[in-house]
Amino acid sequence: EMTRQYQELQKQTAAHSQRLEAKVKSLQEQLATRLQESQQTQQTATKALAERDRTIAQLQGRLDAVQRENERILHGSLDLVLAKMAEARQHWEEVATTISLEHKQRLQEFGLNPLEI
């Protein structure tokens, strides 16, 4: 009877051991799969970050180029405005001189000295 119980216990232990070994193997396979998935996810994230950094660098370059172009346009426009203002100033100084001379002549026609007024 004890021999039979011993053999039965041995069978149960062997079956249990096989189930545990199968479970360990299954868990190891799952772990390997998860590790591989994790590595792939990490590689994908690294590529995405690198792509984002490249995009940011490209956009920064474009932004810098647009900024330089805007500065060039602004300086050109300001130079044109300054040239027009200088031209207008010269014109109005000439007009003022002409008017001043006319008034000076008129005052002299009436016998008045413009410097005394």
Side-chain angles (χ1 to χ4, degrees):
E1 176 63 27
M2 285 186 72
T3 303
R4 187 189 61 74
Q5 285 178 352
Y6 175 75
Q7 288 174 347
E8 183 64 29
L9 188 58
Q10 266 188 329
K11 285 180 188 178
Q12 289 176 356
T13 302
H16 186 67
S17 177
Q18 286 177 345
R19 283 193 304 272
L20 288 176
E21 286 175 9
K23 180 132 182 139
V24 166
K25 185 177 180 181
S26 172
L27 290 172
Q28 285 175 337
E29 289 172 357
Q30 287 178 13
L31 177 61
T33 301
R34 297 303 176 262
L35 285 174
Q36 186 177 11
E37 289 171 356
S38 173
Q39 287 174 348
Q40 289 173 346
T41 302
Q42 188 174 8
Q43 288 173 350
T44 302
T46 301
K47 287 179 183 177
L49 288 174
E51 181 63 30
R52 182 201 65 179
D53 291 344
R54 277 192 298 276
T55 302
I56 288 172
Q58 288 174 346
L59 292 174
Q60 186 63 48
R62 289 180 191 167
L63 180 63
D64 292 344
V66 166
Q67 191 172 15
R68 283 191 303 274
E69 181 65 14
N70 286 343
E71 287 175 5
R72 186 190 66 75
I73 290 169
L74 179 62
H75 286 288
S77 298
L78 289 175
D79 290 344
L80 288 174
V81 167
L82 289 173
K84 286 186 182 246
M85 287 176 65
E87 205 176 286
R89 180 180 178 183
Q90 183 179 0
H91 169 73
W92 287 111
E93 283 178 356
E94 290 171 2
V95 168
T97 302
T98 302
I99 291 172
S100 180
L101 286 175
E102 287 175 4
H103 287 155
K104 183 178 180 182
Q105 288 172 353
R106 290 235 170 91
L107 287 171
Q108 286 175 347
E109 286 173 7
F110 291 108
L112 300 171
N113 184 357
L115 298 175
E116 291 177 359
I117 297 179

